[in-house]
């Protein structure tokens, strides 16, 4: 069998990237990833060299890769891990985040939802009747903002990659949800009560961030969140992957075409007509009297703890229990 060769140096390749119509060795794969991240940062004015950066890290490949890439590119970046209390998934993800930080002597701030706010995501889901991912997303967004503002950080970085963003875009487009589309940008500027938020991995696919972790020797949690099993977001990813397999480069064209040509047309819809004031309880910006996060805390922290299996649908529970058996 022919050993495929790196496009740049003609040495043995470790990965083929059909969307670039090329193969790459470990060194030139890293060069490609670095360049794509630098280009995203530059094109969208994401970061300045002096920024104090807070990277939201989940222990998965994307957020560890982006933290590693930013450190490599010379940025000052601390990590923030939120313990969501999603059974062993959360315990393990926290260990990966901490091990990464320890090995590289990076600062990791940890917030445990149950310890600090008296609830976890399965309990919040049951107590409030929200789907788990909604209770989770709302809690994470609030805590990212709060930690960044309290800690004096200039910007919050998340590990959303091209696959994530294209899947969300696909979902928003299927529903023609114009307000979500208008806000689906790789940079959200700082506003009263909100830090700046950026996604430096929007030019890398999840296969590329996984490859980055492998060639850099980064251990990351492979498992998906058990609550995400079978959700719509994964269905959109699968649909886009089917298109990508037939027509490499489609995913990037879909997303970047939107950002370059469509998003500017929606600019006046961003935050149009929303009047915000301070939450009576925590001071965060909100449209009501008390913010959604404080309402979740009030309801969920007085509810008996609910184990993760209870809030999973049938298929997700089956997958979760199988995973547990593998671990034990
Ligand atoms: P997800 O919403 O799980 O797709 O995660 C999107 C991004 O949110 C990740 O790339 C991380 O930057 C961040 N994130 C997810 N989970 C956590 C967590 N438990 N703690 C801190 N950041 C997280
Ligand atoms: Fe938030 Fe799974 S990580 S619901
Ligand atoms: Zn090479
Ligand atoms: Zn509040």
């Amino acid at each position: 069998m022919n050993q495929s060769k790196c496009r740049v140096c003609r040495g043995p390749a470790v990965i083929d990237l059909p969307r670039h119509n090329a193969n790459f060795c470990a060194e030139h794969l890293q060069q490609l990833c670095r360049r794509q991240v630098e280009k995203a940062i530059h094109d969208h004015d994401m970061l300045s060299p002096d920024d104090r950066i807070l990277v939201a890290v989940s222990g998965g490949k994307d957020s560890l890769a982006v933290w590693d890439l930013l450190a490599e590119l010379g940025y000052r970046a601390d990590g923030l891990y939120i313990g969501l209390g999603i059974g062993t998934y959360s315990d393990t993800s926290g260990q990966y985040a901490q091990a990464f930080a320890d090995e590289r002597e990076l600062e990791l701030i940890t917030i445990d939802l149950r310890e600090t706010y008296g609830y976890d995501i399965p309990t919040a889901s049951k107590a409030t009747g929200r789907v788990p991912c909604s209770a989770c997303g709302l809690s994470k967004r609030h805590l990212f903002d709060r930690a960044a503002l309290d800690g004096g950080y200039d910007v919050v970085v998340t590990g959303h990659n091209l696959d994530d963003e294209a899947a969300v875009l696909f979902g928003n487009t299927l529903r023609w949800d114009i307000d979500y589309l208008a806000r689906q940008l790789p940079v959200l500027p700082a506003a009263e009560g909100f830090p700046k938020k950026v996604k430096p991995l929007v030019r890398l696919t999840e296969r590329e961030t996984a490859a980055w972790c492998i060639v850099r020797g980064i251990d990351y949690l492979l498992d998906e969140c058990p609550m995400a099993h079978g959700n719509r977001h994964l269905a959109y990813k699968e649909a886009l992957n089917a298109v990508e397999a037939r027509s490499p480069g489609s995913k990037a064209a879909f997303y970047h075409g939107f950002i370059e040509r469509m998003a500017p047309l929606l600019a006046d819809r961003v935050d149009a007509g929303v009047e915000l004031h301070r939450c009576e309880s925590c001071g965060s910006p909100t449209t009501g009297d008390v913010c959604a996060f404080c309402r979740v805390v009030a309801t969920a922290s007085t509810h008996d703890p609910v184990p993760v299996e209870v809030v999973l649908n049938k298929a997700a529970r089956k997958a979760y229990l199988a995973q547990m058996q593998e671990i034990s």
Side-chain angles (χ1 to χ4, degrees):
M1 196 180 82
N2 266 347
Q3 162 75 56
S4 53
K5 294 196 171 79
C6 170
R7 171 162 87 186
V8 186
C9 69
R10 311 309 295 164
V14 295
I15 190 168
D16 69 307
L17 297 179
R19 75 188 183 108
H20 293 289
N21 195 19
N23 306 305
F24 293 92
C25 71
E27 185 191 331
H28 291 112
L29 168 73
Q30 289 179 64
Q31 184 187 67
L32 177 129
C33 292
R34 267 187 233 107
R35 285 186 179 164
Q36 294 292 345
V37 168
E38 282 176 316
K39 181 163 169 51
I41 292 173
H42 175 266
D43 288 359
H44 300 290
D45 202 7
M46 289 183 175
L47 303 170
S48 308
D50 296 333
D51 277 347
R52 282 196 65 218
I53 300 167
L54 188 61
V55 184
V57 282
S58 65
K61 60 186 181 329
D62 303 307
S63 48
L64 293 181
V66 76
W67 198 6
D68 188 39
L69 274 152
L70 293 182
E72 258 238 319
L73 294 171
Y75 289 98
R76 289 187 301 163
D78 295 342
L80 167 66
Y81 171 77
I82 298 170
L84 300 163
I86 305 176
T88 47
Y89 169 76
S90 288
D91 302 339
T92 327
S93 61
Q95 288 160 9
Y96 280 99
Q98 193 62 59
F100 177 90
D102 291 347
E103 269 169 32
R104 287 159 181 79
E105 297 185 3
L106 293 166
E107 183 75 33
L108 180 70
I109 302 168
T110 296
I111 300 173
D112 186 83
L113 269 188
R114 182 149 286 289
E115 253 172 57
T116 312
Y117 295 97
Y119 78 98
D120 50 47
I121 297 302
T123 308
S125 169
K126 185 85 179 162
T128 63
R130 285 174 179 268
V131 292
C133 293
S134 145
C136 177
L138 179 157
S139 305
K140 285 191 294 202
R141 280 192 300 275
H142 178 92
L143 294 172
F144 294 168
D145 292 352
R146 171 105 299 175
L149 296 174
D150 290 353
Y153 291 93
D154 299 294
V155 52
V156 173
V157 163
T158 53
H160 294 95
N161 58 40
L162 177 59
D163 297 71
D164 296 323
E165 294 304 292
V168 172
L169 175 61
F170 190 36
N172 289 339
T173 307
L174 283 176
R175 289 184 289 278
W176 289 116
D177 197 327
I178 301 293
D179 289 325
Y180 278 123
L181 283 169
R183 287 181 56 80
Q184 213 205 317
L185 303 169
V187 173
L188 287 176
E192 185 60 38
F194 295 109
K196 181 176 178 182
K197 281 177 231 163
V198 306
K199 301 172 182 172
L201 296 185
V202 288
R203 302 189 62 86
L204 292 177
T205 64
E206 56 187 37
R207 190 160 162 263
E208 291 154 8
T209 61
W212 171 271
C213 288
I214 290 165
V215 300
R216 301 275 297 173
I218 298 172
D219 272 339
Y220 61 89
L221 179 63
L222 278 166
D223 300 332
E224 290 282 345
C225 168
M227 311 235 198
H229 188 91
N231 74 10
R232 274 193 307 208
H233 185 68
L234 292 181
Y236 299 149
K237 276 191 175 175
E238 283 163 17
L240 288 171
N241 284 343
V243 176
E244 181 75 15
R246 294 279 285 272
S247 173
S250 301
K251 211 184 285 177
F254 176 53
Y255 175 72
H256 293 294
F258 167 78
I259 295 299
E260 280 155 33
R261 298 193 288 281
M262 187 68 211
L265 304 180
L266 301 175
D268 62 346
R269 300 284 297 226
V270 181
D271 296 335
V274 238
E275 203 185 304
L276 297 175
H277 30 260
R278 289 184 172 278
C279 166
E280 282 171 6
S281 173
C282 73
S284 296
T286 175
T287 48
D289 296 333
V290 176
C291 76
F293 177 78
C294 288
R295 280 184 275 132
V296 168
V297 175
T299 313
S301 63
T302 51
H303 194 284
D304 285 341
V306 174
V308 57
E309 307 83 278
V310 172
V311 290
L312 299 178
N313 63 33
K314 213 167 149 196
R317 190 174 317 128
K318 207 168 144 203
Y320 179 72
L321 294 176
Q323 218 176 64
M324 289 306 93
Q325 257 179 354
E326 251 172 56
I327 293 173
S328 61

